[in-house]
Amino acid sequence: MPTSRTLLWSGLVAAAGGAVLCVLGWYGISGERFAERQLPYLASCTVPGAALIVAGAILVVTAYALPVRPPEPHGPRTAEDGPAAEDGPAMQETPPPSSDGPPLRVPGGTLAHRPDCPLITGKPEATEVGEAVLAPCPVCEPWPP
């Protein structure tokens, strides 16, 4: 979370600084009649200001695109800690899903899935496909092409 906050504020500061440079460049250009006298304002204010605005926008978008991971409540768990009494069924180790077995489907679904497909993992209502004609899941591809 601190990284995304740092990126967000860096992006906002860069975009604000770029906007200030663009306004200063525009003000300098507006006071000059001839193009050759406007070029220094373009080179020193407007172009760098526009670049800062683009860089700031990229930093802000990156800050929002980073995955947010909630902090661990009591620090990371290690194997030395052993099982804790407050651990409920969610913290117990479950065996990894297996793709051994018949294809599955959800009621009313139109796709056949492997038993370990992430789209049906944890859905107790998933049943075997049986004789139903279903399209293969594009994620787990239950049948060879």
Side-chain angles (χ1 to χ4, degrees):
M1 183 86 164
T3 303
S4 63
R5 187 177 300 149
T6 303
L7 284 175
L8 176 66
W9 282 105
S10 299
L12 292 174
V13 168
V20 167
L21 280 176
C22 284
V23 168
L24 288 174
W26 171 80
Y27 183 74
I29 287 173
S30 68
E32 297 296 335
R33 181 174 176 191
F34 301 106
E36 55 273 358
R37 289 188 161 184
Q38 295 174 352
L39 287 176
Y41 294 105
L42 280 173
S44 64
C45 289
T46 308
V47 172
L52 276 174
I53 290 173
V54 170
I58 290 171
L59 287 172
V60 168
V61 168
T62 303
Y64 280 111
L66 285 177
V68 177
R69 193 173 51 147
E72 294 187 23
H74 302 291
R77 301 256 336 237
T78 62
E80 300 168 348
D81 295 339
E86 69 272 0
D87 290 346
M91 291 298 290
Q92 294 176 354
E93 289 189 32
T94 57
S98 170
S99 65
D100 296 335
L104 300 176
R105 68 179 287 185
V106 292
T110 60
L111 299 175
H113 304 272
R114 289 181 187 221
D116 63 344
C117 180
L119 298 178
I120 63 164
T121 300
K123 294 188 179 180
E125 67 271 11
T127 59
E128 290 185 19
V129 170
E131 297 298 319
V133 178
L134 300 174
C137 170
V139 175
C140 66
E141 299 175 348
W143 297 300

